[in-house]
Amino acid sequence: MALSAASLLLLLAASGIISSSPQSAVRLQGAVGGAVSLPAPVLDTGLLRYNVNVALVFKRVFIELNVTRFRGRVTWNSSTGHFHITQLNTQDSGEYGVQNTEGNVSDTTVFQLTVYNNVSRPQVSNKTQVSAGSCPLLCSVANGREVTLSWYREGEEKPLNHSSSPDLSTPLTLPLETEGLSHSYSCVATNPVSTERVTVNPGEHCLGPVSSPQVSSVTQASAGNCTLLCSVSNGRNVTLSWNRDTDDKTLKHTSSPDPNTLTVPLDIPDLSVSYSCVATNRLSTERVPVHPEEHCFNIDSGFSTLLYVKIGVIAVFVAPTVLAVLSVIRMTDDQRRLREQRKGTSAFEMTSAQ
């Protein structure tokens, strides 16, 4: 238009159009990143105010005023006459006034707008072992303005428990001791503009501690290589992995829904490097450090060692037998000499008698 916004405001004031008849505030709510409509129609002439004038309509022509924080975010719907504010942020919370003028009569509608962050998705954890058919669960969510955290049993509308806190600096937490493991439960985080729900089946979510893995060698070292086998009793959500200790890098890992033993082999290229076999689930972790030289020996350099071991084994088991045989032989010789002495004594006695 040819007239500036300031000129239009002066024109409205000179015509006696700008007036105020404030009413009690109408409460509105919006979400960060969303939009809100101020449901007070301006069909011909009027303005939107937030501390200062933000936009005006004159003879059904919309004019956005030069207010930096609202630039490009305020529109006017010529069909409904409503002002709209887009790309909301929490700083947009506050009191707005919409003035509508018809002829020489004007009225003002006041809106109290509150802009909320969308609630975060809650997280459910199980930090202790399942016992006596129950499972202790803990639900947590980032706290925010008017956030409420609740536990529901599936199929029921009444919450089992709920929690809220004015302390926005710490997460909101809510424990639950389930009644058996057959029912599903939902942890629900809400605020006035959003809802996030996480459903938990305790029979699938609740865990016992993982078992300690076992390590054995399946092939002996050849040219510096050795294959080790790690195994663990499988359970719900168990993962078994081989890690290199020098950088804690996962070299191999496996998991399986099969309830039988979980195994994972590892080819050891360097007997001087230490490794760890790690069994883990959401509740616990068991780690077994492995030094390959304790499980593997080299075939080429180990032949003489093996020979010495065999000689030692032979000595241990054969020596007592040899000693027993020698003892028998010695005993036999002594008995033979004794008999010969007795024969000689008898012959002498017979000769003397004659």
Side-chain angles (χ1 to χ4, degrees):
M1 292 184 62
L3 292 175
S4 67
S7 300
L8 287 172
L9 290 173
L10 290 174
L11 179 62
L12 291 173
S15 302
I17 293 177
I18 297 180
S19 62
S20 177
S21 54
Q23 304 171 0
S24 59
V26 177
R27 295 190 177 278
L28 297 177
Q29 297 166 342
V32 169
V36 67
S37 177
L38 306 177
V42 174
L43 299 178
D44 182 78
T45 299
L47 58 85
L48 171 65
R49 183 176 178 81
Y50 178 82
N51 297 326
V52 297
N53 294 327
V54 175
L56 64 86
V57 176
F58 184 73
K59 301 299 182 181
R60 297 185 61 79
V61 176
F62 171 72
I63 302 171
E64 183 179 11
L65 303 180
N66 188 26
V67 180
T68 302
R69 62 170 298 175
F70 289 103
R71 186 173 297 155
R73 298 197 295 128
V74 177
T75 60
W76 175 71
N77 188 315
S78 60
S79 298
T80 64
H82 295 166
F83 288 106
H84 298 272
I85 306 173
T86 61
Q87 302 174 32
L88 292 173
N89 58 71
T90 55
Q91 294 181 347
D92 292 334
S93 296
E95 188 174 280
Y96 293 78
V98 176
Q99 179 178 301
N100 178 52
T101 301
E102 294 183 5
N104 291 327
V105 179
S106 66
D107 62 78
T108 300
T109 303
V110 178
F111 297 94
Q112 184 65 44
L113 174 64
T114 304
V115 180
Y116 298 85
N117 286 298
N118 288 291
V119 71
S120 302
R121 182 175 176 83
Q123 303 294 320
V124 177
S125 60
N126 161 237
K127 295 300 183 184
T128 58
Q129 186 175 359
V130 180
S131 61
S134 66
C135 174
L137 299 174
L138 182 67
C139 187
S140 61
V141 72
N143 200 8
R145 189 174 186 175
E146 297 182 46
V147 171
T148 299
L149 196 60
S150 306
W151 276 108
Y152 291 83
R153 185 185 288 113
E154 279 301 290
E156 298 182 6
E157 296 182 0
K158 183 179 179 180
L160 299 172
N161 56 10
H162 61 86
S163 177
S164 60
S165 173
D167 183 2
L168 307 185
S169 63
T170 58
L172 198 59
T173 61
L174 186 63
L176 176 71
E177 188 79 24
T178 67
E179 300 175 1
L181 303 178
S182 59
H183 296 287
S184 294
Y185 298 83
S186 292
C187 182
V188 182
T190 62
N191 68 7
V193 298
S194 60
T195 299
E196 287 287 348
R197 174 186 297 263
V198 173
T199 300
V200 176
N201 184 342
E204 297 177 354
H205 192 85
C206 300
L207 306 170
V210 70
S211 302
S212 179
Q214 304 294 320
V215 177
S216 60
S217 60
V218 292
T219 62
Q220 298 300 333
S222 176
N225 295 319
C226 175
T227 300
L228 298 179
L229 183 69
C230 185
S231 60
V232 71
S233 297
N234 198 9
R236 188 175 296 113
N237 298 324
V238 171
T239 298
L240 189 63
S241 61
W242 277 106
N243 291 3
R244 186 168 52 211
D245 288 349
T246 52
D247 53 8
D248 203 31
K249 179 181 179 181
T250 299
L251 304 175
K252 295 184 71 174
H253 64 89
T254 186
S255 59
S256 173
D258 189 337
N260 295 323
T261 300
L262 201 61
T263 61
V264 58
L266 179 68
D267 292 329
I268 305 294
D270 187 350
L271 301 185
S272 64
V273 177
S274 296
Y275 302 85
S276 290
C277 182
V278 183
T280 183
N281 62 15
R282 291 195 302 269
L283 181 64
S284 64
T285 297
E286 289 287 343
R287 177 186 294 265
V288 175
V290 177
H291 304 288
E293 65 273 13
E294 297 178 0
H295 295 269
C296 309
F297 66 86
N298 190 279
I299 291 175
D300 297 331
S301 62
F303 177 78
S304 58
T305 302
L306 181 61
L307 179 61
Y308 291 139
V309 169
K310 288 184 176 180
I311 292 173
V313 171
I314 291 172
V316 169
F317 288 98
V318 173
T321 303
V322 172
L323 291 175
V325 171
L326 292 175
S327 177
V328 171
I329 293 173
R330 186 180 298 109
M331 184 182 298
T332 303
D333 289 341
D334 292 342
Q335 291 175 348
R336 180 173 52 79
R337 284 195 295 270
L338 182 58
R339 286 197 299 270
E340 290 178 352
Q341 290 176 359
R342 286 177 179 174
K343 287 181 181 180
T345 300
S346 298
F348 177 77
E349 290 175 352
M350 289 178 62
T351 305
S352 297
Q354 292 176 354

